[in-house]
Amino acid sequence: MLLIIPVAIAVIYLLRDPAPEVFHADYVGSQVCGDCHFINFAAWKQSPHHHIVSESGPDAFVANFSEGAFFIPEKHRKTQFDHLPAAKMYNRNGEYFMALRDIGADTFTEMKIDKVIGFQYRQTFLTKENGGVLRRLPIQWSVPRNEFFAYWNEQEQSIHSVHDMWEQMKPLNSAWNLYCARCHTTNLEEHDKDRAHTQADVEWTELGVGCEVCHGPGSDHVEYMDDKPMNRLASWLDQRIFDKQAPFIMNATKQDQGVALSVCARCHGADILRTRMDLYRNYRPGYDEHGQLNDLSPYFAEAELVPGRTIPTIEVWPDGRPKGLGTLFRSFADSKHYQATDMRCYDCHNPHDNKKPTAKGLLQPSVQSNQFCSDCHMDIVKNSGAHSKHKSGTEGSYCYDCHMPKNMLNQVSGVPHFVRAHNIGTIPNPLLSQRMGLENSPNACNECHADESPEWAVKHLREWGMDKHLVDLGLHLQRNANSDNVEH
């Protein structure tokens, strides 16, 4: 038996086809991947990544397209026609339409809905123009509000008007398949377009974020494995025994941290310099023409966090910390947990069903999430009550409560609220809140104790002997990779 096993392995490797590390494959679509990887495929099929874009049809709409309407808010009504709907939404003979009111008139222009974006928080609607552009329509659907709303007017806090709604369909970024589709489709290819984004000849392998968005194009992998048992056995041995990557496919767990997280940053790392836009938009997992792995990590934290920046989705708190939802990945990339460890997004977030945790309880303050932290912070977590000054198992005693405060502004759904920052090491500094005001420098203490003042929080930290966390600076320490320099 001792001789048979190594001989069998030798025969497998002798009969396998060669698999060079550097390769350039073509896209095949997620359904092909599902033929073999049926467990991960089933998880992906129910994920938001898969469902992020839908063809227009009865199953696509959360929004009310039976008798929907949107009216200009009363305080913004100025013309004699503003008591009429600004937009009407309806379906006819199995097709769906949005009709926008014409400027200065009581007539409407009808536009057929071709694609629907989103379903969890809001839905955006696209109409296909004669030039091939999928144009983003100005009225969207808020899932929690259960109503239509003018998303960009609310996001930018601008005055609602029919004129402005028509204007929203003119900017370059309203041409969805030339601007936004890169992160909502798999393998977007632009064959032709004009400078004004009124003409578009594009195609994609599939709608939604498919398997190959993260694992790279799979044609060579499929051909290598298809009906070739020796290749499959050798690949299994490579991965299980020698910790190698499967042939002709990218697997983030086998890559360096920066290369692995480039997959996530490409769409979730929105806070980048304009000069990097094409690099991010054209990124795909795999190798470039020089045989180097495509890597966006040198640019993760390149853009300056200007204190007080108010640009929608990439806002910055006046104390210098990331605020807008588009800077959430940035808050992680700036942290010591990224800079000094091998921590990765999919340590907590299920990579195939992206709204679920990799393990129960990881995405909320819980015993399980504390246990995750204990892998590195054993001495703290085993006596969390003494560390947090809150009774173990109660609110305030979990790592999340202080080190992942809710200070990232999320306005995606039309209901503004704050979600957790991903700096992870951030330490509450109510002294800076006292100096700048909570509206400019929130802290985790007053997040829970909203009826108390920053002075109250400062007093308690001093009573607990935590004076070293009360740093009187113009900007928050926890705004860049130096975030954990103050000892816990």
Side-chain angles (χ1 to χ4, degrees), residues 276-444:
R276 306 298 180 198
M277 188 74 72
D278 286 344
L279 187 65
Y280 271 66
R281 285 167 58 81
N282 296 320
Y283 169 85
R284 72 179 193 178
Y287 296 88
D288 62 20
E289 65 273 18
H290 306 295
Q292 301 296 316
L293 283 166
N294 292 320
D295 184 6
L296 298 176
S297 62
Y299 319 114
F300 284 175
E302 181 183 34
E304 182 183 2
L305 288 178
V306 180
R309 185 172 66 196
T310 58
I311 301 171
T313 75
I314 56 170
E315 299 97 334
V316 179
W317 289 103
D319 69 9
R321 286 178 294 173
K323 178 182 180 181
L325 191 65
T327 63
L328 189 145
F329 180 87
R330 172 63 180 270
S331 73
F332 174 61
D334 272 345
S335 74
K336 261 199 165 178
H337 281 76
Y338 170 76
Q339 300 280 350
T341 78
D342 195 42
M343 192 171 181
R344 306 179 179 204
C345 304
Y346 52 81
D347 288 336
C348 298
H349 298 272
N350 186 317
H352 295 110
D353 189 354
N354 54 297
K355 282 299 289 184
K356 292 184 178 179
T358 54
K360 180 181 178 182
L362 275 189
L363 298 183
Q364 60 189 12
S366 64
V367 172
Q368 291 91 342
S369 59
N370 270 22
Q371 288 174 343
F372 176 84
C373 302
S374 72
D375 287 347
C376 295
H377 303 283
M378 178 68 75
D379 56 329
I380 293 175
V381 176
K382 70 181 180 183
N383 194 0
S384 62
H387 173 73
S388 67
K389 310 302 180 184
H390 290 72
K391 182 179 178 181
S392 294
T394 65
E395 188 174 7
S397 70
Y398 298 111
C399 306
Y400 269 54
D401 293 325
C402 292
H403 301 301
M404 291 187 71
K406 293 182 178 180
N407 58 24
M408 306 294 292
L409 181 60
N410 184 341
Q411 302 185 82
V412 167
S413 67
V415 179
H417 62 286
F418 287 98
V419 297
R420 296 191 183 278
H422 280 51
N423 183 279
I424 303 175
T426 186
I427 301 170
N429 185 4
L431 186 64
L432 194 57
S433 303
Q434 180 180 320
R435 173 178 173 174
M436 300 185 68
L438 280 169
E439 71 279 7
N440 296 315
S441 181
N443 72 80

Side-chain angles (χ1 to χ4, degrees), residues 59 65 77 144 265:
D59 295 334
F65 267 74
R77 294 178 187 175

Side-chain angles (χ1 to χ4, degrees), residues 21-27 182 185-188 209-220 245 248-253 255-256 258-267 279-289 291-296:
E21 182 176 309
V22 178
F23 60 92
H24 294 277
D26 297 318
Y27 288 81
R182 186 72 62 180
T185 63
T186 302
N187 185 34
L188 179 73
V209 181
C211 306
E212 292 164 295
V213 169
C214 299
H215 294 289
S219 63
D220 287 356
Q245 183 159 281
F248 300 112
I249 205 72
M250 303 303 295
N251 188 332
T253 60
Q255 302 299 330
D256 291 340
V259 173
L261 296 191
S262 293
V263 170
C264 309
R266 181 225 178 187
C267 292
L279 187 65
Y280 271 66
R281 285 167 58 81
N282 296 320
Y283 169 85
R284 72 179 193 178
Y287 296 88
D288 62 20
E289 65 273 18
Q292 301 296 316
L293 283 166
N294 292 320
D295 184 6
L296 298 176

Side-chain angles (χ1 to χ4, degrees), residues 158-316:
S158 58
I159 295 175
H160 295 63
S161 72
V162 170
H163 177 269
D164 186 67
M165 290 172 191
W166 281 100
E167 288 296 307
Q168 288 178 35
M169 295 193 290
K170 293 181 180 179
L172 297 182
N173 66 5
S174 69
W176 182 86
N177 50 344
L178 293 177
Y179 199 87
C180 305
R182 186 72 62 180
C183 287
H184 293 79
T185 63
T186 302
N187 185 34
L188 179 73
E189 294 185 279
E190 295 179 357
H191 300 303
D192 192 24
K193 64 180 180 180
D194 64 342
R195 289 175 62 87
H197 283 192
T198 60
Q199 302 288 323
D201 178 11
V202 305
E203 64 177 333
W204 45 69
T205 299
E206 62 183 306
L207 285 174
V209 181
C211 306
E212 292 164 295
V213 169
C214 299
H215 294 289
S219 63
D220 287 356
H221 177 75
V222 172
E223 182 181 351
Y224 186 81
M225 296 294 193
D226 193 27
D227 295 326
K228 296 175 181 176
M230 290 303 168
N231 288 353
R232 293 188 180 194
L233 286 170
S235 173
W236 186 90
L237 290 170
D238 278 345
Q239 294 175 76
R240 296 299 184 277
I241 298 177
F242 303 112
D243 198 32
K244 290 185 178 180
Q245 183 159 281
F248 300 112
I249 205 72
M250 303 303 295
N251 188 332
T253 60
K254 308 296 185 182
Q255 302 299 330
D256 291 340
Q257 182 190 36
V259 173
L261 296 191
S262 293
V263 170
C264 309
R266 181 225 178 187
C267 292
H268 294 282
D271 188 30
I272 60 173
L273 298 178
R274 186 173 293 276
T275 54
R276 306 298 180 198
M277 188 74 72
D278 286 344
L279 187 65
Y280 271 66
R281 285 167 58 81
N282 296 320
Y283 169 85
R284 72 179 193 178
Y287 296 88
D288 62 20
E289 65 273 18
H290 306 295
Q292 301 296 316
L293 283 166
N294 292 320
D295 184 6
L296 298 176
S297 62
Y299 319 114
F300 284 175
E302 181 183 34
E304 182 183 2
L305 288 178
V306 180
R309 185 172 66 196
T310 58
I311 301 171
T313 75
I314 56 170
E315 299 97 334
V316 179

